[in-house]
Amino acid sequence: MPGRVCCCCAALRPRYKRLVDNIFPEDPKDGLVKADMEKLTFYAVSAPEKLDRIGAYLAERLSRDVVRHRYGYVLIAMEALDQLLMACHSQSIKPFVESFLHMVAKLLESGEPKLQVLGTNSFVKFANIEEDTPSYHRRYDFFVSRFSAMCHSCDHDAEIQTEIRIAGIRGIQGVVRKTVNDELRATIWEPQHMDKIVPSLLFNMQKIEDIDSRIGPPSSPTGGEKEENPSLLAENCFRELLGRATYGNMNNAVRPVFAHLDHHRLWDPNEFAVSCFKIIMYSIQAQYSHHVIQEILGHLDVRKRDSPRVRAGIIQVLLEAVAIAAKGSIGPTVLEVFNTLLKHLRISVDFELGDRRSSAGSATVSTSSKESDERIVQNAIIQTIGFFGSNLPDYQRSEIMMFIMGKVPVLGTNSQSLDTSHLGDLGTRRIQIMLLRSLLMVTSGYKATTITNALPPPFLDPLLSPSLMEDSELRQLVLEILHNLIDRHDNRAKLRGIRIIPDVSDLKIKRDKISRQDVSFMKKHGQQLYRHIYLGCKEEDNVQKNFELLFTSLALTTIELANEEVVIDLIRLAIALQDIAIINEDNLPMFNRCGVMALVAAYLNFLSQMIAVPAFCQHVSKVIETRSLEASYFLPETIFKDKCNLPKSLEKHEKNLFFLTNKIAESLGGSGYSVERLSVPYVPQVTDEDRLSRRKSIVDTVSIQVDILPGNNTEDKVDNTEEITFEALKKAIDNNGLEEQEKEKRRLVIEKFQKAPFEEIAAQCETKANLLHDRLAQILELTIRPPPSPSGTMTITAGHAHYQSVPVYEMKFPDLCVY
């Protein structure tokens, strides 16, 4: 009998050997002898110092049985080992465990699937035992390698293949559990182990059906499903592994995922990649999310030379990752995410234009396909930027807005923008459009408490710079961004489309009282907004959408930022726009001229109903009614139709088709509005941006001499200068002449401003004049001081132009000084 020895020899053998021999029956089919097993267990518990010898002897017998293919006795030996492990928990169990692991390794090395499964089951039982003291010398390198190899089993028998793969996955799960609970648990997180464990799990996870349907943490599969399905078991093990990862070893667990996806080319299509990173983001601790995002960004840099679809797949994975991470802790990676994405946006444009240049003169389908693929990359980047930015808290979103705006290249300026010097004009335009589209998505849904927070000067100035570009799409994007920031009560949808609104009250406009911060903002920066709208109306390439967005801009400014002073400025702006169409100094096409007239009609109709001044409403309604009968192409409902008969000229139209300044001033003056400034034509401020732009400057460069004289010193008066007094302004707005004379006077004033070389002085003079008229009622003292020099003049130098003979005077007010 293989398991027994003769009686004479048995008496001489040590007791532990006799007890071990007795547990093996004559016929292995009878199984373990339970009575003798109980004796062996009692002996082991009573004499724990004998455990190591018991284990060594059992290992010797098992090795011999494995070699001789006596698998029945192998099963009995492993069952005995399992029972001894479960019963003994003393410190002396450590040597016994070494013998046990040696026996498990023997089984795993055998080529018999049943023995491999048997060894795995024993190891899993051992992994679930909590040892009293840690082991400082035990390593599991062999088991990691062997279990990982079993996960890739390719046995020709499908059932055996599945059985071995399941055993390998369960073995890896056991190693993870055992090492994590051990004091030396960090050893399992070493790269050489993770590079085997993670790809093995991912290899089996690829069999999961309906991967893309898992958008969140899926429900845990039942125990039966885990045991029967390698993919579900692998996913469960992968989640458990990531859930146990800590700050120091998170990256080691994530990096092999990229290697597996690269090796098996799973970025295009990327359904499995997206599924993997969803599992990762939902399994790890929330405070470690930024580790994963950093790894994705780093891998995107590594694969920056790959095909567009591979890069688009990685960016899509990043989008899914930040969508989950944005709900928790992002960490210090916010700016890094945007900086990397913007860099790859420039790279994508470079690739697109490079392919186009290389294929110049040879029309190939492949080149067109590459360009469309690069567009996929660019759209993915924009979508990721927008989604990530829109999910950030407001204080971080404002910083990102500034960051993106600082990257927009502006021709002729030196800034921290993206380097587009080698891309040319077309590449720069592409970058500008895509960055503004990204900014549009970031600003979507952003509601600041004050307009100053939404449009700080460092952000407002570069944002309005594209208003000077000869590109209608750029101007549309700027207007839409402004709408996102100005519209704090979600009124934009109600104003969509340019039209004559019969009753504004039906729109149920939401608005609050204008705050002092908003009033201060309009005093400082209102002219910039007006100028942006004014210049936008003068572009020849405007289409219907441009006019619709300009109308919405005026309407939202009225709703959110208009007090009495702003209303007057907006009316002045509207009249100036009407003059653009009538005088047509910019030689605009007839469609644009009629479009501007329609824009003014739609806006003044809206404004008159918003401020609810009956006389003003009556004048606007009368003009609109007259237009509908005599010149319907001046109304938006007609001019923006596909087939509209345009007039040949506008010079012969009667004045009853236009909105008249004196009529508006008369109607508003009767309702208590301060209408003195309506007689001063609106002239946009001119800045350095006009010189940097490629559009025609709104001011020609010619010399002019500006004389500023004291109003009460009769000895210093010059005959050809006109004193501006309150009475003169009052007479200017009175209805004291024919409309033709008023129009001629306004034209002369506009011409004077348009031919001034010193643009800044012209704008400053207008601003100071406006402030002076606003504060006339508060004047307490007016002191005229003699000039500081005998000549009473000073010299102003601007560039290469010199301006002399400018008398100097000082006017004192309680809180206002004008020099």
Side-chain angles (χ1 to χ4, degrees), residues 591-632:
F591 170 80
N592 295 64
R593 297 173 69 183
C594 293
V596 172
M597 296 291 283
L599 168 66
V600 174
Y603 173 65
L604 289 182
N605 172 70
F606 176 82
L607 176 63
S608 63
Q609 296 185 56
M610 287 295 295
I611 63 176
V613 175
F616 186 24
C617 293
Q618 183 178 3
H619 172 64
V620 172
S621 299
K622 185 176 181 181
V623 173
I624 292 176
E625 183 180 354
T626 305
R627 288 184 177 185
S628 63
L629 297 175
E630 301 179 10
S632 60

Side-chain angles (χ1 to χ4, degrees), residues 333-352:
T333 61
V334 175
L335 288 180
E336 183 181 354
V337 171
F338 288 98
N339 197 34
T340 303
L341 289 175
L342 294 179
K343 179 180 67 176
H344 283 276
L345 188 63
R346 181 188 58 78
I347 292 174
S348 177
V349 173
D350 193 10
F351 286 159
E352 178 186 357

Side-chain angles (χ1 to χ4, degrees), residues 301-322:
D301 287 335
V302 172
R303 304 297 301 270
K304 63 183 179 182
R305 298 287 180 183
D306 280 32
S307 65
R309 291 191 175 274
V310 170
R311 287 180 282 127
I314 299 175
I315 295 169
Q316 180 66 28
V317 167
L318 178 63
L319 172 61
E320 298 293 341
V322 298

Side-chain angles (χ1 to χ4, degrees), residues 75-134:
L75 296 175
I76 293 174
M78 291 307 301
E79 185 179 354
L81 285 169
D82 293 342
Q83 291 190 23
L84 288 175
L85 277 175
M86 299 298 294
C88 303
H89 294 282
S90 64
Q91 295 182 358
S92 303
I93 201 174
K94 301 304 177 184
F96 176 76
V97 170
E98 297 302 325
S99 300
F100 167 79
L101 293 178
H102 176 70
M103 287 182 279
V104 172
K106 285 288 184 181
L107 296 180
L108 295 178
E109 287 178 336
S110 67
E112 182 63 32
K114 291 183 178 180
L115 295 185
Q116 294 178 1
V117 174
L118 176 64
T120 301
N121 293 336
S122 295
F123 183 85
V124 171
K125 293 177 183 178
F126 162 71
N128 292 328
I129 297 175
E130 295 184 6
E131 301 182 47
D132 296 334
T133 56

